Coordinates of all heavy atoms in Angstrom, one line a residue:
M1 N -0.2 16.2 -7.0 CA 0.1 15.0 -6.3 C 1.3 15.3 -5.4 O 2.1 16.0 -5.7 CB 0.5 14.0 -7.4 CG 0.7 12.6 -6.9 SD 1.1 11.2 -8.1 CE -0.5 11.1 -8.7
K2 N 1.3 14.5 -4.2 CA 2.4 14.7 -3.3 C 3.6 14.1 -3.8 O 3.7 13.1 -4.5 CB 1.9 14.0 -2.0 CG 0.9 14.8 -1.1 CD 1.2 14.7 0.2 CE 0.2 15.5 1.0 NZ 0.8 16.6 1.6
R3 N 4.7 14.7 -3.4 CA 6.0 14.2 -3.8 C 6.4 13.1 -2.7 O 6.1 13.3 -1.5 CB 7.0 15.2 -3.7 CG 8.4 14.8 -4.0 CD 9.4 15.8 -4.1 NE 10.6 15.3 -4.4 CZ 11.8 15.5 -3.8 NH1 11.8 16.4 -2.9 NH2 13.0 15.0 -4.2
I4 N 6.8 11.9 -3.2 CA 7.3 10.9 -2.3 C 8.6 10.8 -2.3 O 9.3 10.6 -3.3 CB 6.7 9.6 -2.8 CG1 5.1 9.7 -2.8 CG2 6.9 8.4 -1.9 CD1 4.3 8.6 -3.4
S5 N 9.3 10.8 -1.1 CA 10.7 10.8 -1.0 C 11.0 9.2 -0.7 O 10.4 8.5 -0.1 CB 11.2 11.6 0.1 OG 10.9 11.2 1.3
G6 N 12.1 8.7 -1.4 CA 12.6 7.4 -1.2 C 14.0 7.5 -0.6 O 14.9 7.9 -1.2
Q7 N 14.0 7.2 0.7 CA 15.2 7.1 1.3 C 15.6 5.7 1.6 O 14.8 4.8 1.9 CB 15.1 7.8 2.8 CG 14.7 9.3 2.6 CD 15.9 10.2 2.2 OE1 17.1 9.8 2.5 NE2 15.5 11.1 1.4
T8 N 17.0 5.5 1.6 CA 17.5 4.2 1.9 C 17.8 4.2 3.5 O 18.5 5.0 4.0 CB 18.8 3.9 1.2 OG1 18.5 4.0 -0.3 CG2 19.3 2.5 1.5
V9 N 17.3 3.2 4.1 CA 17.5 2.9 5.5 C 18.5 1.9 5.7 O 18.3 0.8 5.3 CB 16.1 2.7 6.3 CG1 16.5 2.4 7.9 CG2 15.2 3.7 6.1
K10 N 19.6 2.2 6.3 CA 20.7 1.3 6.5 C 20.5 0.5 7.9 O 20.5 1.2 8.9 CB 22.0 1.9 6.4 CG 22.2 2.5 5.1 CD 23.7 2.9 4.9 CE 23.8 3.6 3.6 NZ 24.7 3.1 2.7
L11 N 20.3 -0.7 7.8 CA 20.1 -1.5 9.0 C 21.2 -2.6 9.2 O 21.7 -3.1 8.3 CB 18.6 -2.2 8.9 CG 17.5 -1.3 8.8 CD1 16.3 -2.2 8.6 CD2 17.3 -0.5 10.1
L12 N 21.4 -2.9 10.4 CA 22.2 -4.0 10.7 C 21.5 -5.3 10.3 O 20.2 -5.3 10.4 CB 22.7 -4.1 12.2 CG 23.5 -2.9 12.8 CD1 23.6 -3.0 14.2 CD2 24.8 -2.9 12.1
N13 N 22.2 -6.4 10.1 CA 21.5 -7.6 9.7 C 20.5 -8.1 10.8 O 19.5 -8.5 10.4 CB 22.6 -8.8 9.5 CG 23.4 -8.6 8.2 OD1 22.9 -7.9 7.3 ND2 24.6 -9.1 8.2
E14 N 20.9 -7.8 12.1 CA 19.9 -8.2 13.1 C 18.7 -7.3 13.1 O 17.5 -7.8 13.4 CB 20.6 -8.1 14.5 CG 21.8 -9.1 14.6 CD 23.1 -8.7 14.1 OE1 23.2 -7.6 13.4 OE2 24.1 -9.4 14.1
E15 N 18.8 -6.0 12.8 CA 17.7 -5.2 12.7 C 16.8 -5.6 11.5 O 15.6 -5.4 11.7 CB 18.2 -3.7 12.6 CG 18.9 -3.2 13.8 CD 19.6 -2.0 13.6 OE1 20.1 -1.6 12.5 OE2 19.7 -1.2 14.6
R16 N 17.5 -5.8 10.4 CA 16.7 -6.2 9.2 C 16.0 -7.5 9.5 O 14.7 -7.6 9.1 CB 17.7 -6.4 8.0 CG 16.9 -6.8 6.7 CD 17.9 -6.8 5.6 NE 18.4 -5.5 5.2 CZ 19.8 -5.1 5.5 NH1 20.5 -6.0 6.1 NH2 20.1 -3.9 5.3
A17 N 16.5 -8.5 10.1 CA 15.9 -9.7 10.6 C 14.7 -9.4 11.5 O 13.6 -10.0 11.3 CB 16.9 -10.7 11.2
L18 N 14.8 -8.5 12.4 CA 13.8 -8.1 13.3 C 12.6 -7.4 12.5 O 11.4 -7.7 12.7 CB 14.3 -7.2 14.4 CG 13.2 -6.6 15.4 CD1 12.5 -7.8 16.2 CD2 13.9 -5.6 16.4
L19 N 13.0 -6.5 11.6 CA 11.9 -5.9 10.8 C 11.3 -6.9 9.9 O 10.0 -6.9 9.8 CB 12.7 -4.9 9.8 CG 11.8 -4.1 8.8 CD1 10.8 -3.2 9.5 CD2 12.7 -3.3 7.9
M20 N 11.9 -7.9 9.3 CA 11.2 -9.0 8.5 C 10.4 -9.8 9.4 O 9.2 -10.2 8.9 CB 12.4 -9.7 7.8 CG 13.1 -9.0 6.7 SD 14.5 -9.9 6.1 CE 13.8 -11.3 5.3
S21 N 10.8 -10.1 10.6 CA 9.9 -10.9 11.5 C 8.7 -10.2 11.8 O 7.6 -10.8 11.8 CB 10.7 -11.3 12.7 OG 11.8 -12.1 12.5
L22 N 8.8 -8.9 12.2 CA 7.6 -8.1 12.5 C 6.6 -8.0 11.3 O 5.4 -8.2 11.5 CB 8.0 -6.7 13.0 CG 8.4 -6.6 14.4 CD1 9.1 -5.2 14.6 CD2 7.3 -6.9 15.4
A23 N 7.2 -7.8 10.2 CA 6.4 -7.6 8.9 C 5.6 -9.0 8.7 O 4.5 -9.0 8.3 CB 7.2 -7.2 7.9
A24 N 6.3 -10.0 8.8 CA 5.7 -11.3 8.6 C 4.7 -11.6 9.6 O 3.5 -12.1 9.2 CB 6.7 -12.4 8.5
K25 N 5.0 -11.3 10.8 CA 4.0 -11.7 11.8 C 2.7 -10.8 11.8 O 1.6 -11.3 12.0 CB 4.5 -11.3 13.2 CG 3.7 -11.6 14.4 CD 4.5 -11.3 15.6 CE 3.6 -11.9 16.8 NZ 4.3 -12.1 18.1
R26 N 2.8 -9.6 11.2 CA 1.6 -8.7 11.0 C 1.0 -8.7 9.6 O 0.0 -8.1 9.3 CB 2.0 -7.3 11.3 CG 2.4 -7.0 12.8 CD 1.2 -7.0 13.7 NE 1.5 -6.8 15.0 CZ 0.8 -6.0 15.9 NH1 -0.3 -5.7 15.4 NH2 1.3 -6.0 17.1
D27 N 1.8 -9.5 8.7 CA 1.3 -9.6 7.3 C 1.2 -8.2 6.7 O 0.3 -7.8 6.0 CB 0.2 -10.4 7.2 CG -0.2 -10.7 5.7 OD1 0.7 -10.9 5.0 OD2 -1.4 -10.8 5.4
V28 N 2.3 -7.4 6.9 CA 2.4 -6.0 6.3 C 3.8 -5.9 5.6 O 4.7 -6.8 5.7 CB 2.2 -5.0 7.4 CG1 0.8 -5.0 8.0 CG2 3.2 -5.1 8.5
T29 N 4.0 -4.7 5.1 CA 5.3 -4.5 4.3 C 6.3 -4.0 5.5 O 5.9 -3.6 6.5 CB 5.2 -3.5 3.3 OG1 4.9 -2.2 3.8 CG2 4.1 -3.8 2.2
H30 N 7.5 -4.1 5.0 CA 8.6 -3.5 5.8 C 8.3 -2.0 6.1 O 8.5 -1.5 7.3 CB 10.0 -3.7 5.3 CG 10.3 -5.1 5.1 ND1 11.2 -5.5 4.2 CD2 9.9 -6.2 5.7 CE1 11.3 -6.8 4.1 NE2 10.5 -7.3 5.0
S31 N 7.9 -1.2 5.1 CA 7.6 0.2 5.2 C 6.6 0.4 6.3 O 6.5 1.4 7.0 CB 7.2 0.7 3.8 OG 8.3 0.6 2.9
D32 N 5.5 -0.5 6.2 CA 4.4 -0.2 7.2 C 5.0 -0.4 8.6 O 4.6 0.3 9.5 CB 3.4 -1.3 6.9 CG 2.6 -1.2 5.6 OD1 2.6 0.0 5.1 OD2 2.0 -2.2 5.1
V33 N 5.8 -1.4 8.9 CA 6.5 -1.5 10.2 C 7.2 -0.3 10.7 O 7.0 0.2 11.7 CB 7.3 -2.8 10.3 CG1 8.0 -2.8 11.7 CG2 6.5 -4.0 10.0
L34 N 8.0 0.2 9.7 CA 8.8 1.4 10.0 C 7.9 2.5 10.2 O 8.0 3.4 11.1 CB 9.8 1.6 8.8 CG 10.9 0.6 8.7 CD1 11.7 0.8 7.4 CD2 11.8 0.6 9.9
R35 N 6.9 2.8 9.3 CA 5.9 4.0 9.4 C 5.2 4.0 10.8 O 5.2 4.9 11.4 CB 4.9 3.8 8.4 CG 4.1 5.0 8.1 CD 3.3 5.0 6.9 NE 4.1 4.9 5.7 CZ 4.1 3.9 4.9 NH1 3.5 2.7 5.1 NH2 5.0 3.9 3.8
V36 N 4.7 2.7 11.2 CA 4.0 2.7 12.5 C 5.0 3.0 13.6 O 4.6 3.7 14.6 CB 3.3 1.3 12.7 CG1 2.9 1.1 14.1 CG2 2.2 1.0 11.8
G37 N 6.1 2.6 13.6 CA 7.2 2.9 14.6 C 7.5 4.4 14.6 O 7.5 4.9 15.6
L38 N 7.5 5.0 13.5 CA 7.7 6.5 13.4 C 6.6 7.2 14.1 O 6.8 8.0 14.9 CB 7.8 6.7 11.9 CG 7.8 8.4 11.7 CD1 9.1 9.0 12.2 CD2 7.7 8.6 10.1
Y39 N 5.3 6.7 13.8 CA 4.2 7.4 14.4 C 4.2 7.2 15.9 O 3.8 8.2 16.6 CB 2.9 6.8 13.8 CG 2.6 7.1 12.3 CD1 1.8 6.4 11.6 CD2 3.3 8.1 11.6 CE1 1.5 6.6 10.2 CE2 3.0 8.4 10.3 CZ 2.2 7.7 9.5 OH 1.9 7.8 8.3
Q40 N 4.4 6.0 16.3 CA 4.4 5.8 17.8 C 5.5 6.6 18.5 O 5.2 7.2 19.5 CB 4.7 4.3 18.0 CG 3.5 3.4 17.8 CD 3.7 1.9 17.9 OE1 4.9 1.5 18.1 NE2 2.6 1.2 18.1
L41 N 6.7 6.7 17.9 CA 7.8 7.4 18.5 C 7.4 9.0 18.5 O 7.6 9.6 19.6 CB 9.1 7.3 17.8 CG 10.3 8.0 18.4 CD1 10.5 7.6 19.9 CD2 11.5 7.7 17.5
A42 N 6.8 9.4 17.5 CA 6.4 10.8 17.4 C 5.3 11.1 18.4 O 5.3 12.2 19.0 CB 5.9 11.2 16.0
A43 N 4.3 10.2 18.6 CA 3.3 10.4 19.5 C 3.8 10.4 20.9 O 3.3 11.3 21.8 CB 2.3 9.3 19.3
T44 N 4.7 9.6 21.2 CA 5.3 9.6 22.6 C 6.2 10.9 22.9 O 6.3 11.3 24.0 CB 6.2 8.4 22.9 OG1 7.3 8.3 22.0 CG2 5.4 7.0 22.8
E45 N 6.7 11.5 21.9 CA 7.3 12.8 22.0 C 6.4 14.0 22.0 O 6.9 15.1 22.0 CB 8.3 12.9 20.8 CG 9.5 11.9 21.0 CD 10.4 12.1 22.2 OE1 10.6 13.2 22.6 OE2 10.8 11.1 22.8
G46 N 5.1 13.7 21.9 CA 4.1 14.9 22.0 C 3.9 15.5 20.6 O 3.4 16.6 20.7
L47 N 4.2 14.9 19.6 CA 4.1 15.5 18.2 C 2.7 15.1 17.6 O 2.7 14.6 16.5 CB 5.2 15.1 17.3 CG 6.6 15.5 17.8 CD1 7.7 14.9 17.0 CD2 6.7 17.0 17.8
D48 N 1.6 15.3 18.4 CA 0.3 14.8 18.0 C -0.1 15.4 16.8 O -0.7 14.8 15.8 CB -0.7 15.0 19.1 CG -0.4 14.2 20.4 OD1 0.2 13.2 20.3 OD2 -0.7 14.8 21.5
R49 N 0.0 16.8 16.6 CA -0.4 17.5 15.4 C 0.4 16.9 14.2 O -0.3 16.6 13.1 CB -0.2 18.9 15.5 CG -0.7 19.8 14.3 CD -0.5 21.3 14.6 NE 0.8 21.8 15.0 CZ 1.8 22.0 14.2 NH1 1.6 21.8 12.9 NH2 2.9 22.3 14.5
E50 N 1.6 16.7 14.4 CA 2.5 16.3 13.2 C 2.1 14.9 12.8 O 2.1 14.4 11.6 CB 3.9 16.4 13.5 CG 4.5 17.8 13.7 CD 4.3 18.4 15.1 OE1 3.6 17.8 15.8 OE2 4.9 19.5 15.2
V51 N 1.8 14.1 13.9 CA 1.3 12.7 13.6 C 0.0 12.7 12.7 O -0.1 11.9 11.8 CB 1.2 11.9 14.8 CG1 0.5 10.5 14.6 CG2 2.6 11.6 15.5
M52 N -0.8 13.5 13.2 CA -2.2 13.6 12.5 C -2.0 14.0 11.1 O -2.6 13.6 10.2 CB -3.1 14.4 13.3 CG -3.6 13.8 14.5 SD -4.2 12.1 14.4 CE -5.6 12.3 13.3
Q53 N -1.1 15.0 10.9 CA -0.9 15.5 9.5 C -0.3 14.4 8.8 O -0.8 14.2 7.5 CB 0.1 16.6 9.5 CG -0.4 18.0 10.1 CD 0.6 19.1 10.1 OE1 1.8 18.9 10.3 NE2 0.2 20.3 10.1
A54 N 0.6 13.6 9.2 CA 1.3 12.6 8.4 C 0.2 11.4 8.1 O 0.2 10.9 7.0 CB 2.5 12.0 9.3
V55 N -0.6 11.1 9.1 CA -1.5 10.1 8.9 C -2.6 10.6 7.9 O -2.9 9.7 6.9 CB -2.3 9.7 10.2 CG1 -3.5 8.8 10.0 CG2 -1.3 9.0 11.2
H56 N -3.0 11.9 7.9 CA -4.0 12.3 6.9 C -3.3 12.2 5.5 O -4.0 12.0 4.5 CB -4.6 13.6 7.2 CG -5.5 13.7 8.3 ND1 -6.8 13.1 8.2 CD2 -5.3 14.2 9.7 CE1 -7.4 13.3 9.4 NE2 -6.6 13.8 10.3
A57 N -2.1 12.7 5.5 CA -1.4 12.7 4.2 C -1.2 11.2 3.7 O -1.5 10.9 2.3 CB 0.0 13.3 4.3
R58 N -1.0 10.2 4.5 CA -1.0 8.8 4.1 C -2.4 8.3 3.5 O -2.5 7.6 2.5 CB -0.6 8.0 5.3 CG -0.6 6.5 5.0 CD 0.3 6.0 3.9 NE 1.6 6.4 3.9 CZ 2.5 6.2 3.0 NH1 2.2 5.4 1.9 NH2 3.7 6.6 3.0
V59 N -3.4 8.6 4.3 CA -4.7 8.3 3.8 C -5.0 9.0 2.4 O -5.5 8.3 1.6 CB -5.8 8.8 4.8 CG1 -7.2 8.6 4.3 CG2 -5.7 7.8 6.1
D60 N -4.7 10.2 2.3 CA -4.9 10.8 0.9 C -4.2 10.2 -0.1 O -4.6 10.0 -1.3 CB -4.5 12.4 1.0 CG -5.4 13.2 1.9 OD1 -6.6 12.7 2.1 OD2 -5.1 14.3 2.2
H61 N -2.9 9.9 0.2 CA -2.1 9.1 -0.7 C -2.7 7.8 -1.1 O -2.7 7.5 -2.4 CB -0.6 8.9 -0.2 CG 0.2 8.0 -1.0 ND1 0.9 8.5 -2.1 CD2 0.7 6.8 -0.9 CE1 1.6 7.5 -2.6 NE2 1.4 6.4 -1.9
L62 N -3.2 7.0 -0.2 CA -3.8 5.7 -0.5 C -5.1 5.9 -1.4 O -5.3 5.2 -2.2 CB -4.1 5.0 0.8 CG -2.8 4.6 1.6 CD1 -3.2 3.9 2.9 CD2 -2.1 3.5 0.8
R63 N -5.8 7.0 -1.1 CA -7.0 7.3 -1.9 C -6.7 7.5 -3.3 O -7.2 7.1 -4.3 CB -7.8 8.4 -1.3 CG -8.6 8.0 -0.1 CD -9.4 9.1 0.4 NE -10.2 8.7 1.7 CZ -10.5 9.5 2.7 NH1 -10.1 10.7 2.7 NH2 -11.1 8.9 3.7
Q64 N -5.6 8.3 -3.5 CA -5.2 8.7 -4.8 C -4.6 7.4 -5.6 O -4.9 7.3 -6.8 CB -3.9 9.7 -4.8 CG -4.3 11.1 -4.4 CD -3.2 11.9 -4.2 OE1 -1.9 11.6 -4.4 NE2 -3.5 13.2 -3.7
R65 N -4.0 6.6 -4.9 CA -3.5 5.3 -5.5 C -4.7 4.4 -5.9 O -4.8 3.8 -6.9 CB -2.6 4.5 -4.5 CG -1.4 5.2 -4.1 CD -0.3 5.1 -5.2 NE -0.4 5.9 -6.4 CZ -0.1 7.3 -6.5 NH1 0.2 7.9 -5.5 NH2 -0.4 8.0 -7.7
E66 N -5.7 4.4 -5.0 CA -7.0 3.6 -5.3 C -7.6 4.2 -6.5 O -8.1 3.4 -7.4 CB -7.8 3.6 -4.1 CG -9.1 2.7 -4.2 CD -10.0 2.9 -3.0 OE1 -10.1 3.9 -2.4 OE2 -10.6 1.8 -2.7
A67 N -7.7 5.5 -6.7 CA -8.4 6.1 -7.8 C -7.6 5.7 -9.0 O -8.2 5.5 -10.1 CB -8.5 7.5 -7.5
G68 N -6.3 5.7 -9.0 CA -5.5 5.4 -10.1 C -5.8 4.0 -10.5 O -5.8 3.6 -11.8
W69 N -5.9 3.1 -9.6 CA -6.1 1.6 -9.9 C -7.5 1.5 -10.5 O -7.7 0.7 -11.5 CB -6.0 0.8 -8.8 CG -4.5 0.5 -8.4 CD1 -3.7 0.9 -7.4 CD2 -3.6 -0.5 -9.1 NE1 -2.5 0.4 -7.4 CE2 -2.4 -0.3 -8.5 CE3 -3.8 -1.2 -10.3 CZ2 -1.3 -1.1 -9.1 CZ3 -2.7 -1.9 -10.8 CH2 -1.5 -1.9 -10.1
D70 N -8.5 2.2 -9.9 CA -9.8 2.2 -10.5 C -9.9 2.6 -11.9 O -10.6 2.0 -12.8 CB -10.8 3.1 -9.7 CG -11.1 2.4 -8.3 OD1 -10.9 1.2 -8.1 OD2 -11.6 3.1 -7.4
R71 N -9.1 3.6 -12.3 CA -9.1 4.0 -13.7 C -8.4 3.0 -14.7 O -8.6 2.9 -15.8 CB -8.4 5.4 -13.8 CG -9.1 6.5 -13.3 CD -8.4 7.8 -13.7 NE -7.1 8.1 -13.1 CZ -6.8 8.5 -11.9 NH1 -7.8 8.8 -11.1 NH2 -5.5 8.6 -11.5
M72 N -7.5 2.2 -14.0 CA -6.8 1.2 -14.9 C -7.6 -0.1 -15.0 O -7.3 -0.9 -15.9 CB -5.5 0.9 -14.3 CG -4.5 2.0 -14.2 SD -2.9 1.8 -13.5 CE -2.4 0.4 -14.2
R73 N -8.7 -0.4 -14.2 CA -9.5 -1.6 -14.4 C -10.1 -1.6 -15.7 O -10.8 -0.6 -16.2 CB -10.5 -1.6 -13.2 CG -9.9 -2.0 -11.9 CD -10.8 -2.3 -10.9 NE -10.2 -2.7 -9.6 CZ -10.4 -1.9 -8.6 NH1 -11.3 -1.0 -8.5 NH2 -9.7 -2.2 -7.4
P74 N -10.1 -2.7 -16.3 CA -10.9 -2.8 -17.7 C -12.4 -2.8 -17.5 O -12.8 -3.3 -16.4 CB -10.3 -4.1 -18.3 CG -9.8 -4.9 -17.1 CD -9.5 -3.9 -16.1
E75 N -13.0 -2.3 -18.4 CA -14.5 -2.3 -18.4 C -14.9 -3.7 -18.5 O -14.4 -4.6 -19.3 CB -15.1 -1.5 -19.6 CG -14.9 0.0 -19.3 CD -15.5 0.5 -18.1 OE1 -16.6 0.2 -17.9 OE2 -14.9 1.5 -17.4
P76 N -16.0 -4.1 -17.8 CA -16.5 -5.5 -17.9 C -17.1 -5.7 -19.3 O -17.7 -4.8 -19.9 CB -17.6 -5.6 -16.9 CG -17.7 -4.3 -16.2 CD -16.7 -3.4 -16.8
T77 N -16.7 -6.8 -19.9 CA -17.3 -7.2 -21.2 C -18.0 -8.5 -21.2 O -17.7 -9.4 -20.2 CB -16.2 -7.3 -22.2 OG1 -15.2 -8.3 -21.8 CG2 -15.4 -6.0 -22.5
T78 N -18.9 -8.7 -22.1 CA -19.6 -9.9 -22.1 C -18.9 -10.8 -23.2 O -18.8 -10.4 -24.2 CB -21.2 -9.8 -22.4 OG1 -21.3 -8.6 -23.4 CG2 -22.0 -9.5 -21.2
H79 N -18.7 -12.0 -22.8 CA -18.1 -12.9 -23.7 C -19.1 -14.1 -24.0 O -19.8 -14.3 -22.9 CB -16.8 -13.6 -23.2 CG -15.7 -12.6 -22.9 ND1 -15.0 -12.1 -24.0 CD2 -15.2 -12.1 -21.8 CE1 -14.1 -11.2 -23.6 NE2 -14.2 -11.1 -22.2
P80 N -19.2 -14.6 -25.1 CA -20.1 -15.6 -25.4 C -19.7 -16.9 -24.5 O -18.5 -17.1 -24.3 CB -19.9 -15.9 -26.9 CG -18.7 -15.2 -27.3 CD -18.4 -14.2 -26.4
S81 N -20.7 -17.5 -24.0 CA -20.4 -18.7 -23.1 C -19.9 -19.8 -24.1 O -20.0 -19.8 -25.3 CB -21.7 -19.1 -22.4 OG -22.5 -19.7 -23.4
R82 N -19.2 -20.8 -23.4 CA -18.8 -21.9 -24.2 C -19.8 -22.7 -25.0 O -19.7 -23.1 -26.1 CB -18.0 -22.9 -23.2 CG -17.3 -24.0 -23.9 CD -16.1 -24.4 -23.1 NE -15.4 -25.4 -23.7 CZ -14.5 -25.4 -24.8 NH1 -14.4 -24.2 -25.4 NH2 -13.9 -26.5 -25.2
T83 N -21.0 -22.7 -24.3 CA -22.1 -23.4 -25.0 C -22.6 -22.7 -26.2 O -22.8 -23.2 -27.3 CB -23.4 -23.5 -24.1 OG1 -23.7 -22.5 -23.6 CG2 -22.9 -24.6 -23.0
D84 N -22.6 -21.4 -26.2 CA -22.8 -20.5 -27.4 C -21.8 -20.8 -28.5 O -22.3 -21.0 -29.7 CB -22.9 -19.0 -27.1 CG -24.1 -18.6 -26.2 OD1 -24.9 -19.4 -26.1 OD2 -24.0 -17.5 -25.6
I85 N -20.7 -21.0 -28.1 CA -19.6 -21.2 -29.2 C -19.8 -22.5 -29.8 O -19.8 -22.7 -31.1 CB -18.2 -21.0 -28.6 CG1 -18.0 -19.7 -28.2 CG2 -17.2 -21.6 -29.7 CD1 -16.7 -19.4 -27.4
L86 N -20.2 -23.5 -29.0 CA -20.3 -24.9 -29.5 C -21.6 -24.9 -30.4 O -21.7 -25.5 -31.4 CB -20.4 -25.9 -28.3 CG -19.2 -26.1 -27.5 CD1 -19.4 -27.0 -26.4 CD2 -18.0 -26.8 -28.5
Y87 N -22.6 -24.3 -29.9 CA -23.9 -24.3 -30.6 C -23.9 -23.6 -32.0 O -24.4 -24.1 -33.0 CB -25.0 -23.6 -29.8 CG -26.3 -23.5 -30.4 CD1 -27.1 -24.6 -30.5 CD2 -26.8 -22.3 -31.0 CE1 -28.4 -24.6 -31.2 CE2 -28.0 -22.2 -31.6 CZ -28.8 -23.4 -31.7 OH -30.0 -23.4 -32.3
T88 N -23.1 -22.6 -32.1 CA -22.9 -21.9 -33.3 C -21.8 -22.5 -34.3 O -21.6 -21.9 -35.3 CB -22.6 -20.3 -33.1 OG1 -21.4 -20.3 -32.4 CG2 -23.7 -19.7 -32.4
G89 N -21.4 -23.6 -33.9 CA -20.4 -24.3 -34.6 C -19.0 -23.7 -34.5 O -18.1 -23.9 -35.3
G90 N -18.8 -22.9 -33.4 CA -17.4 -22.4 -33.1 C -16.5 -23.5 -32.7 O -16.9 -24.7 -32.6
I91 N -15.3 -23.1 -32.3 CA -14.3 -24.1 -31.9 C -14.8 -24.9 -30.8 O -15.4 -24.6 -29.8 CB -13.0 -23.3 -31.5 CG1 -12.5 -22.6 -32.7 CG2 -11.9 -24.3 -31.0 CD1 -11.4 -21.7 -32.5

């Protein structure tokens, strides 16, 4: 599994408000906004290979998270219907 670093980004109140506005407008997380900005800046600087590596790592990470959630989903079970309970004299 990849190591995930958690860095604190210090923003001015105005920058934080801008970040929150962008995230709300796009219906994404603050991290998503920062990540896209990082990718765009790196691409404009000609770091195409590095951007592609980062994007592929992000996709792999999301697939791992999805697999983890899939393992945590409960197995479907059949429950007696309400009419079955009433018919058999249940509650």
Side-chain angles (χ1 to χ4, degrees):
M1 185 174 289
K2 287 218 176 247
R3 180 172 181 230
I4 300 170
S5 66
Q7 296 290 326
T8 301
V9 178
K10 297 192 187 237
L11 300 171
L12 298 173
N13 289 336
E14 295 82 0
E15 293 168 331
R16 187 172 293 104
L18 179 60
L19 177 62
M20 291 171 65
S21 295
L22 280 170
K25 184 173 185 165
R26 297 288 182 143
D27 193 26
V28 297
T29 66
H30 300 156
S31 295
D32 293 334
V33 173
L34 294 173
R35 190 174 296 111
V36 168
L38 171 67
Y39 293 161
Q40 287 178 338
L41 181 59
T44 61
E45 293 295 323
L47 300 172
D48 298 330
R49 183 176 53 82
E50 291 87 346
V51 170
M52 290 310 297
Q53 286 176 334
V55 169
H56 286 294
R58 173 58 49 187
V59 170
D60 290 344
H61 172 76
L62 292 172
R63 285 184 179 145
Q64 290 172 2
R65 298 282 73 80
E66 182 180 38
W69 281 107
D70 285 344
R71 286 190 299 273
M72 292 174 59
R73 286 193 182 118
E75 292 296 320
T77 58
T78 38
H79 296 286
S81 70
R82 184 145 179 81
T83 56
D84 290 342
I85 294 172
L86 293 174
Y87 178 76
T88 58
I91 298 174

